[in-house]
């Protein structure tokens, strides 16, 4: 299977090449030329397998250059005891019509692990297939969660090194500690004296510097990224939609062939897009509900066909969804319109004036499969409290946004359809906001909130979070913005 760019300006490449490149030379994103089709027998087969087996079957359809044995070895290494649940992504059944897929049982307690535990292995295998012998050096600028998940994913993966820059005063205490205590012989974490944009701009400059690339090449390194737009991160996310469906079948609630809706707390549109791929492959999905917080660009886009990022940016208690440009939407537009020039035009308008309006046909196509909704911070907290009181189930702020949007839609329609909610973070990762939602009064900050939430609810916190206070701090260095290249050069000697 070949992969083509969403902007039509680049040649088609193989899956391994798409994973190595990350982004196409014309600035577009890689998508499979055709979407593989499955039938009910395929789903029945998956229902008999564990998560690793399901991953091999689904990924095999997209990554034809990888043999079954090769994918099995990669899946075993990626989804093993680094997850604290044997199911990897367990389905928690809330009631007869609602199930919550817990995507946060990996090492960093957030759903980014589902992709970042496997993507480094897909990348190194891809490099070997293409004859690359130099060390892949991953550079990441992070506002928090992605950096830690990437560090855990690349930690001690042969043939790679990873360096993460974060804004010195722009991440939470827990996030800073998670990164500063990172283990592994091939990792580095450095703070930047500036905000997230400064860190990101610094990293982009380093990527664009050809002289620097030549120096690194002589030392046996080349720079690479672990961006969420990489196909190697998107493909593994398709797997858990199939897995959720099979687990609900196995629980006896639905039968193979029954339709379910999906409700996804959305930021960069990667998670929900993977659900759309699962639907288009043939998984019986009714519609995809795109849930946003106060940064509701996507809600408006789905309702009107106008994408407009010219609006106030809100800092909310679901920070991983505080996003005004959802990069992966480009893939959906391309797949629905089938016209790279059109997408190229929209993206130019977006980077120019911050706004584009899709044509009538495309708007209808989006609306045929997607519903949108958003939820304020106050409603999100009320939802956390409601579910804890009514069902004894504790959810984090991102998941609560989705749960509330679903509840609103059900009330408006006066009907209830079986729906899987994607749960994207452990509630212990956002202990302060969750405690507040439960009505607890606390003066604690940082890692102490993890213990406090545990004491208040009687629930055990994930080990990597509860053990954080006792871990050795390895990385304390910070640099000025202009010294970022020197820091990279020091690391890649
Ligand atoms: C990244 C993230 C999201 C948003 O996922 P996208 O794929 O960017 O839409 C939602 N919740 C949490 C906790 C996240 O880390």
């Amino acid at each position: 299977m070949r992969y083509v760019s969403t902007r039509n300006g680049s040649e088609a490449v193989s899956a391994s090449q798409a994973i190595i490149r990350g982004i196409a030379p014309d600035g577009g994103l890689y998508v499979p030329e055709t979407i593989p089709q499955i039938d009910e027998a395929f789903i029945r087969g998956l229902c008999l397998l564990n998560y690793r087996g399901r991953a091999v079957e689904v990924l095999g359809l997209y990554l034809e250059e990888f043999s079954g044995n090769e994918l099995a070895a990669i899946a075993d290494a990626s989804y093993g005891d680094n997850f604290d649940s044997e199911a990897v992504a367990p389905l928690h059944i809330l009631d007869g019509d609602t199930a919550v897929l817990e995507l946060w049982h990996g090492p960093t307690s957030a759903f980014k692990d589902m992709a970042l535990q496997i993507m480094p292995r897909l990348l190194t295998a891809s490099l070997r297939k293409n004859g690359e012998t130099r060390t892949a050096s991953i550079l990441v600028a992070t506002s928090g969660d992605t950096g830690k998940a990437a560090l855990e994913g690349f930690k001690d993966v042969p043939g790679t090194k990873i360096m993460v820059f974060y804004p010195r005063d722009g991440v939470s205490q827990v996030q800073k500690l998670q990164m500063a205590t990172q283990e592994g012989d091939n990792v580095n974490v450095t703070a930047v004296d500036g905000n997230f944009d400064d860190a990101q701009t610094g990293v982009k400059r380093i990527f664009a510097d050809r002289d620097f690339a030549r120096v690194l090449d002589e030392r046996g390194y080349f720079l690479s990224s672990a961006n969420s737009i990489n196909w190697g991160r998107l493909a593994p996310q398709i797997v858990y939609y199939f897995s959720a469906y099979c687990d609900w079948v196995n629980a006896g609630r639905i039968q193979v062939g029954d339709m379910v809706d999906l409700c996804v707390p959305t930021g960069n549109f990667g998670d929900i897009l993977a659900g759309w791929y699962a639907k288009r492959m043939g998984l019986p999905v009714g519609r995809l509900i795109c849930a946003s917080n106060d940064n509701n660009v996507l809600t408006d886009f789905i309702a009107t066909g106008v994408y407009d990022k010219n609006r106030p940016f809100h800092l909310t208690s679901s920070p991983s969804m505080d996003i005004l440009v959802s990069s992966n939407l480009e893939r959906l537009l391309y797949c629905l319109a089938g016209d790279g020039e059109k997408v190229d035009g929209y993206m130019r308008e977006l980077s120019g004036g911050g706004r584009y309006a899709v044509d009538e046909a495309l708007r209808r196509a989006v609306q045929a499969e997607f519903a949108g909704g958003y939820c304020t911070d106050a409603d999100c907290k009320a939802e956390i409290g409601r579910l804890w009181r009514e069902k004894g189930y504790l959810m984090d702020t991102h998941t609560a946004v989705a749960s509330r949007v679903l509840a609103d839609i059900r009330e408006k329609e006066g009907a209830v359809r079986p729906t899987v909610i994607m749960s994207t973070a452990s509630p212990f990762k956002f202990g302060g906001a969750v405690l507040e939602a439960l009505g607890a009064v606390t003066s604690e900050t940082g890692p102490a909130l993890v213990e406090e939430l545990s004491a208040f609810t009687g629930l055990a916190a994930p080990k990597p979070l509860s053990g954080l206070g006792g871990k050795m701090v390895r990385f304390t260095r910070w640099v000025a913005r202009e010294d970022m290249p020197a820091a990279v050069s020091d690391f890649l000697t």
Side-chain angles (χ1 to χ4, degrees), residues 109-112 145-146 228 233-234 237 240 264-273 298 318-321 323 326 328 396 398-399 423-426 429-430:
S109 309
F111 104 102
K112 303 282 187 296
D145 283 347
T146 303
S228 75
R233 278 185 62 176
L234 201 97
Q237 297 184 245
Y240 54 70
V264 189
T266 297
N268 214 8
F269 210 76
D271 195 358
I272 193 166
L273 184 73
L298 287 167
S318 44
S320 298
M321 297 156 71
I323 284 179
S326 299
N328 270 302
D396 92 293
H398 303 76
T399 311
S423 177
T424 50
S426 158
K429 201 149 189 185
F430 299 92

